[in-house]
Amino acid sequence: NAGVTQTPKFQVLKTGQSMTLQCAQDMNHNSMYWYRQDPGMGLRLIYYSASEGTTDKGEVPNGYNVSRLNKREFSLRLESAAPSQTSVYFCASSEAGASYNEQFFGPGTRLTVL
Amino acid sequence: AQSVTQPDIHITVSEGASLELRCNYSYGATPYLFWYVQSPGQGLQLLLKYFSGDTLVQGIKGFEAEFKRSQSSFNLRKPSVHWSDAAEYFCAVIKAAGNKLTFGGGTRVLVKP
């Protein structure tokens, strides 16, 4: 039981390049989330998916797109990377239903945009 | 808009000493409240949560937190820290009607031998 997995662990991009961050969970959770973590700002929600087939914007969606490929997988795409997107990205998942359900986090992807 | 404030960016504590991490939130109603821990290079792990009932909540790893409505606070405590408690700690809230976590800026805890 791997929980939430993310690939890659590290990535360096040049400004303007594109890439997709992959996330998968094996807990049969309905809800999945993408966060970015920046020093002193905690984690901020980029996008989330309450259930398969639905996605919604979070606090900082600009410059990102997401795809809920199936119940297990939720990917985050940077179409044209910018230095301001240098960050650590976390994927999380939770059961649907109650707002206070625990979110389980992946190990993160450290992205540097030059 | 709701916000979560963790006033202390860094705290250094000696091994065996007590630890208290502060968290204040600004929101009209009582939100759901959480504390997460992030060990170096790792994802976040839930320590404890509060949504109703007894205002003193017990969590994993010997941590507890107390909800004080009058102070809009949800402070995390541990009576005796271990070297393995060195990590970054995040307070987070969810509005009662939603499912989106809002995080504080985090407090990094260093443990001296």
Side-chain angles (χ1 to χ4, degrees), chain B:
Chain B
Q2 66 183 54
S3 68
V4 183
T5 303
Q6 293 180 245
D8 304 303
I9 298 174
H10 292 100
I11 286 181
T12 299
V13 61
S14 297
E15 193 167 15
S18 64
L19 175 67
E20 181 167 11
L21 304 181
R22 296 182 290 164
C23 173
N24 294 96
Y25 64 90
S26 69
Y27 183 62
T30 299
Y32 298 124
L33 298 156
F34 303 78
W35 275 100
Y36 281 85
V37 60
Q38 184 182 28
S39 298
Q42 303 295 314
L44 278 70
Q45 181 183 21
L46 181 68
L47 285 175
L48 47 79
K49 62 186 177 186
Y50 171 82
F51 50 91
S52 66
D54 192 345
T55 56
L56 186 62
V57 181
Q58 301 298 320
I60 62 171
K61 302 178 186 278
F63 284 91
E64 66 179 25
E66 185 172 13
F67 169 61
K68 291 187 178 180
R69 186 189 307 274
S70 61
Q71 298 177 18
S72 297
S73 68
F74 188 54
N75 293 349
L76 182 71
R77 299 194 292 253
K78 185 168 184 177
S80 176
V81 300
H82 186 261
W83 63 266
S84 61
D85 294 322
E88 190 156 20
Y89 293 79
F90 293 95
C91 181
V93 305
I94 291 180
K95 290 191 299 184
N99 62 353
K100 295 181 246 186
L101 275 170
T102 298
F103 284 86
T107 298
R108 186 171 297 278
V109 174
L110 303 176
V111 180
K112 294 190 301 184

Side-chain angles (χ1 to χ4, degrees), chain A residues 46-61:
Chain A
I46 305 171
Y47 270 94
Y48 70 102
S49 172
S51 61
E52 188 178 353
T54 69
T55 60
D56 286 287
K57 295 178 180 179
E59 181 183 355
V60 289

Side-chain angles (χ1 to χ4, degrees), chain A residues 8 21 28 46 48 57 61 64 90 93 106 114:
Chain A
L21 282 65
N28 202 37
I46 305 171
Y48 70 102
K57 295 178 180 179
Y64 305 95
F90 288 98
S93 70
L114 303 175

Side-chain angles (χ1 to χ4, degrees), chain A residues 1 6-7 21 28 33 41 43-44 50 72 74-75 78 107:
Chain A
N1 196 354
Q6 294 182 235
T7 55
L21 282 65
N28 202 37
Y33 313 82
M41 304 186 74
L43 279 74
R44 292 178 293 169
R72 289 187 65 248
F74 188 38
S75 63
L78 286 70

Side-chain angles (χ1 to χ4, degrees), chain A residues 63-98:
Chain A
Y64 305 95
N65 285 300
V66 291
S67 295
R68 184 74 183 267
L69 303 170
N70 47 56
K71 191 172 186 179
R72 289 187 65 248
E73 299 173 288
F74 188 38
S75 63
L76 178 72
R77 182 160 179 84
L78 286 70
E79 291 290 353
S80 179
S84 60
Q85 295 178 303
T86 293
S87 188
V88 182
Y89 291 86
F90 288 98
C91 178
S93 70
S94 69
E95 294 179 4

